Amino acid sequence: MTNFLFYTCFYGAMVLYYKRVTFMAYFLKKTNNKKGTYLQIYSSFYDPERRHTAHKAYKPIGYVHELQAKGIDDPISFYKEEVIRLNQEANAAKAAKKAKQISDDSPEKLIGYFPMKNINDKLSVKKYIDLMQTATDFRFNVFDMISALVYARLVQPCSKSKTYDEVIPKLFESYDFSLNQLYDGLEYIGCEYEKIIEIYNHQIQQMYQFDTSHTYFDCTNFYFEIDREDDFRKKGPSKENRKEPIVGLGLLLDANQIPIGMKLFPGNQSEKPVIRNIIDDLKKRNSVSGRTIQIADKGLNCAENIFHALKNGDGYIFSKSVKMLPETEKTWVLLPNNYRDVKNAAGETLYRIKECVDEFEYKFTESETGSLKKFRITEKRIVTFNPKLAKKQIYEINKEVEKARLLKASQAKKSEYGDSAKYVIFTAADKKGNDTDGKVKVTMNEELIQKSLELAGYNMLVTSEISMKDKDVYNAYHNLWRIEESFRIMKSQLDARPVYLQKQDTIVGHFLICYLAVLLTRLLQFKILKNGYSSEELFEFVRDFRVAKISDRKYINLSHGTSFIRELSELCSLPLTSYFLNEGDIKKMLSHRF
């Protein structure tokens, strides 16, 4: 027993030494009992949880006398030599590990995309895209390429080459395709983007169902940093007042703000026909039947779009500029009678609202035949007055008017007026109307200034839904901000512009990736999380949630603790808040099903 205590103390001290050097040591344990002296090799190591040295059996040897009978003259000395050899090997392994150079592969893994991956896998679109791929000779999986690009766009948007070199390798799963194959695949999905959206829509309809009782539609455009136009990238009215060629994108959402379609068109084309084309195409492709109410802003409000909606048995809610109304309608807008206040819970007036139902005449030149068409329709017109909006618009009007007065006083050129030019009347400097030196006679348009100030804060909505309550029409229209948010997500969060790709189909493939990223994010936001979190909170999680590899199967969580992470962890029963994670934890996240 005395020998055992001695060896325990000796090897305990030895372990403290090895804790600094190797963190593990071996020793020969001798146990004396009635049968004789029994030998075992034990390993000693530092247990960080208990914060002291621990021992465990490494190798049983046998009784001394039995070993001597087998030909080992001095078993204790013999196995002490083995213990020395084991310790030398352990030291050598530790030294080799210390000498190992840093890896070319980053230990960081980006896994914040896992909720979108869960939804993407649940939709089971892979089998259909795999079937599409059978018509090609690609030696890589198109669905895997789409998935990798969507997840990379969500966690760290950048150029395609940088995405391939720096972002995709940081995704937890490995993907097997080359950069050239990526560009080939992007061109292919751009060519087939309508089919791919149709596949997603079919599966979403099975899993979650679209609500097409209301559909929201709007357009935006994206610029390209190129000098010359081509057949697709054309110069036109840019939303950001840029001079480069642009491509237009129309986006359609269902009543729950889930994207159900997109359409790309050359930047010099009018947006107004796009709403007709995309709704017709989506209804046909996705077997959308029944009446839908199309909701869009005043930029898409035209007689032909209204006629087209009615012809298809659909309804509409459009906004209408009060400044462009006939004088009789402007007079009705400004009459104070019949307005009622809509207040918040604190009793503060949010806006004032009134309505009328009447018959209105429309006429337009049909785009296909060129013939003039006239029709009359009973519509509801709803006008609202927003005090906060009025204050903002009056400030902006006065600012432009003041700018125009100062420019007038300084005899500035017409080209210097910019947006303030609408509040002045320009008259040619000489009697012949020639303007040789760029200077013209300027008169303030006091009538327009006064009318603009009077109409500040007023908005009008036009709808076919005469039985729909005015407040419901107002609320339905004001959900249109969600489509503007989707465009903002594409442009800002997903960094969809500027676009450096050249081929039309490759460009379309790029926007399809952005569209699918928005689609999966919206499904998570509205269908899984029930609109309990903003898109900013979702993207903060997606970008921040990452881990670093510290050993073969061990990781540490590098994410910041947030209420969203804690609540998502509880909802999914996943260890999202744990500091130490193993490979099984991460695979569980990536294979989770909502």
Side-chain angles (χ1 to χ4, degrees):
M1 188 65 183
T2 303
N3 287 338
F4 176 71
L5 291 174
F6 170 77
Y7 278 106
T8 300
C9 293
F10 173 78
Y11 282 104
M14 193 174 177
V15 165
L16 291 177
Y17 168 76
Y18 277 106
K19 176 187 170 186
R20 295 193 300 272
V21 181
T22 66
F23 295 91
M24 177 172 282
Y26 299 93
F27 66 91
L28 183 64
K29 179 182 176 183
K30 297 185 290 183
T31 307
N32 296 319
N33 54 41
K34 292 179 180 179
K35 191 174 179 181
T37 302
Y38 188 76
L39 302 181
Q40 299 178 78
I41 296 177
Y42 262 61
S43 66
S44 295
F45 59 93
Y46 180 74
D47 188 336
E49 292 184 0
R50 292 184 285 179
R51 296 185 179 181
H52 61 68
T53 304
H55 313 290
K56 64 180 180 180
Y58 172 74
K59 179 181 178 182
I61 300 172
Y63 287 98
V64 170
H65 66 276
E66 291 177 349
L67 295 168
Q68 289 173 333
K70 292 179 180 179
I72 302 175
D73 294 333
D74 188 354
I76 293 176
S77 298
F78 180 85
Y79 285 104
K80 278 184 179 179
E81 292 293 327
E82 182 170 348
V83 165
I84 291 170
R85 181 180 57 78
L86 287 171
N87 283 323
Q88 287 174 342
E89 289 177 355
N91 278 329
K94 179 65 178 178
K97 189 173 182 181
K98 278 189 173 181
K100 187 178 179 181
Q101 298 296 309
I102 60 172
S103 170
D104 292 337
D105 297 327
S106 169
E108 185 182 54
K109 292 294 180 183
L110 307 172
I111 59 172
Y113 64 92
F114 82 82
M116 288 73 168
K117 180 186 183 304
N118 300 158
I119 295 170
N120 199 26
D121 291 344
K122 183 180 177 181
L123 290 174
S124 299
V125 299
K126 177 176 168 57
K127 57 187 177 184
Y128 297 107
I129 295 177
D130 285 351
L131 285 172
M132 277 180 58
Q133 184 179 341
T134 58
T136 73
D137 58 357
F138 290 148
R139 296 182 178 275
F140 63 96
N141 188 271
V142 171
F143 175 78
D144 287 347
M145 183 217 69
I146 292 172
S147 300
L149 289 177
V150 169
Y151 305 151
R153 180 68 39 183
L154 285 164
V155 297
Q156 191 176 314
C158 52
S159 69
K160 294 297 176 288
S161 60
K162 191 173 181 180
T163 294
Y164 182 80
D165 290 332
E166 299 181 18
V167 185
I168 291 177
K170 288 184 180 180
L171 301 180
F172 191 79
E173 297 148 310
S174 59
Y175 293 93
D176 186 21
F177 51 83
S178 68
L179 182 58
N180 286 335
Q181 288 173 330
L182 184 154
Y183 285 118
D184 289 342
L186 203 61
E187 184 177 4
Y188 170 71
I189 66 173
C191 180
E192 302 287 359
Y193 85 98
E194 290 173 316
K195 288 182 182 178
I196 292 171
I197 291 176
E198 183 182 354
I199 289 170
Y200 269 90
N201 285 353
H202 179 271
Q203 295 304 99
I204 291 169
Q205 187 70 2
Q206 304 299 312
M207 296 280 181
Y208 302 110
Q209 294 192 331
F210 288 114
D211 180 359
T212 54
S213 59
H214 295 65
T215 56
Y216 295 88
F217 187 84
D218 203 356
C219 293
T220 192
N221 46 53
F222 296 83
Y223 67 89
F224 292 75
E225 292 190 338
I226 56 173
D227 297 325
R228 294 185 178 181
E229 299 175 300
D230 56 28
D231 292 339
F232 190 46
R233 296 170 291 182
K234 296 283 189 179
K235 291 185 178 181
S238 169
K239 303 286 184 181
E240 296 152 303
N241 298 315
R242 299 186 69 97
K243 304 300 182 184
E244 294 94 340
I246 57 176
V247 164
L249 184 146
L251 188 63
L252 187 70
L253 306 184
D254 79 343
N256 295 315
Q257 291 82 50
I258 306 298
I260 51 178
M262 75 168 188
K263 193 82 171 180
L264 287 154
F265 54 95
N268 64 340
Q269 287 186 7
S270 169
E271 298 175 345
K272 292 182 178 179
V274 178
I275 187 172
R276 302 193 294 270
N277 297 337
I278 194 170
I279 290 176
D280 285 352
D281 186 59
L282 286 167
K283 279 194 164 187
K284 182 179 179 181
R285 282 183 174 272
N286 300 289
S287 302
V288 175
S289 58
R291 192 169 185 271
T292 69
I293 301 173
Q294 301 167 17
I295 303 173
D297 69 8
K298 55 181 172 285
L300 296 162
N301 178 6
C302 67
E304 190 165 6
N305 282 347
I306 288 173
F307 179 81
H308 186 266
L310 296 173
K311 185 179 72 172
N312 288 351
D314 290 338
Y316 55 87
I317 299 173
F318 290 110
S319 62
K320 193 175 181 70
S321 172
V322 292
K323 296 176 185 178
M324 304 301 292
L325 292 173
E327 286 303 316
T328 53
E329 291 189 54
K330 285 182 183 177
T331 302
W332 173 74
V333 166
L334 294 172
L335 285 174
N337 62 314
N338 298 327
Y339 276 103
R340 75 177 196 281
D341 291 346
V342 177
K343 300 182 178 182
N344 60 17
E348 300 168 330
T349 300
L350 296 174
Y351 58 91
R352 307 185 71 212
I353 189 168
K354 72 175 179 179
E355 66 175 57
C356 73
V357 176
D358 206 343
E359 191 175 74
F360 296 89
E361 183 178 86
Y362 287 94
K363 60 182 178 180
F364 67 95
T365 302
E366 196 172 41
S367 55
E368 294 180 1
T369 64
S371 60
L372 182 67
K373 280 191 174 293
K374 293 183 181 181
F375 65 98
R376 297 184 69 84
I377 178 70
T378 301
E379 285 181 334
K380 176 180 284 191
R381 299 203 167 183
I382 298 164
V383 64
T384 60
F385 174 77
N386 186 317
K388 289 184 178 179
L389 179 63
K391 186 177 180 180
K392 177 176 178 287
Q393 289 180 344
I394 288 170
Y395 171 80
E396 292 170 349
I397 291 166
N398 286 332
K399 185 178 177 181
E400 292 293 342
V401 169
E402 182 63 22
K403 177 183 175 181
R405 291 190 194 280
L406 291 172
L407 290 168
K408 175 179 179 294
S410 64
Q411 297 184 338
K413 294 181 180 181
K414 182 177 180 180
S415 59
E416 296 178 52
Y417 279 79
D419 290 341
S420 67
K422 58 180 171 285
Y423 296 115
V424 298
I425 300 170
F426 297 99
T427 308
D430 61 16
K431 293 181 181 180
K432 295 181 181 179
N434 297 321
D435 180 18
T436 56
D437 61 359
K439 293 183 179 179
V440 295
K441 182 180 178 182
V442 179
T443 308
M444 297 303 297
N445 192 339
E446 299 294 347
E447 183 180 353
L448 178 61
I449 294 169
Q450 183 60 33
K451 188 63 71 176
S452 296
L453 291 169
E454 287 177 348
L455 293 173
Y458 287 95
N459 275 314
M460 178 175 279
L461 299 177
V462 177
T463 180
S464 57
E465 308 309 292
I466 58 176
S467 60
M468 195 172 180
K469 292 181 179 178
D470 54 8
K471 193 175 178 181
D472 292 338
V473 174
Y474 177 88
N475 290 335
Y477 177 80
H478 280 268
N479 272 329
L480 195 60
W481 71 271
R482 285 289 188 187
I483 204 164
E484 294 168 357
E485 184 187 48
S486 295
F487 287 140
R488 180 175 56 78
I489 289 171
M490 276 193 182
K491 291 183 176 182
S492 300
Q493 300 283 11
L494 300 178
D495 204 17
R497 44 96 202 251
V499 187
Y500 299 103
L501 302 165
Q502 300 301 317
K503 295 180 181 178
Q504 178 173 335
D505 286 336
T506 310
I507 292 167
V508 177
H510 164 75
F511 284 111
L512 175 64
I513 295 298
C514 295
Y515 172 88
L516 294 176
V518 172
L519 173 63
L520 295 174
T521 302
R522 288 304 202 202
L523 287 173
L524 174 66
Q525 185 177 9
F526 291 108
K527 295 299 185 180
I528 306 301
L529 302 177
K530 308 301 180 186
N531 199 20
Y533 302 93
S534 67
S535 58
E536 285 77 14
E537 289 175 294
L538 298 187
F539 276 101
E540 181 184 2
F541 168 78
V542 169
R543 304 279 161 82
D544 182 64
F545 194 66
R546 62 201 192 282
V547 298
K549 193 171 188 177
I550 56 173
S551 67
D552 287 345
R553 300 176 65 83
K554 295 286 186 180
Y555 298 82
I556 56 172
N557 190 340
L558 300 176
S559 312
H560 299 292
T562 64
S563 58
F564 177 81
I565 288 181
R566 289 189 290 271
E567 289 161 16
L568 184 63
S569 178
E570 186 176 344
L571 173 68
C572 303
S573 299
L574 293 170
L576 306 183
T577 58
S578 298
Y579 182 69
F580 291 102
L581 297 166
N582 58 45
E583 196 167 285
D585 294 329
I586 297 173
K587 287 183 177 179
K588 187 177 178 183
M589 294 175 198
L590 294 169
S591 61
H592 179 74
R593 290 292 180 269
F594 288 106

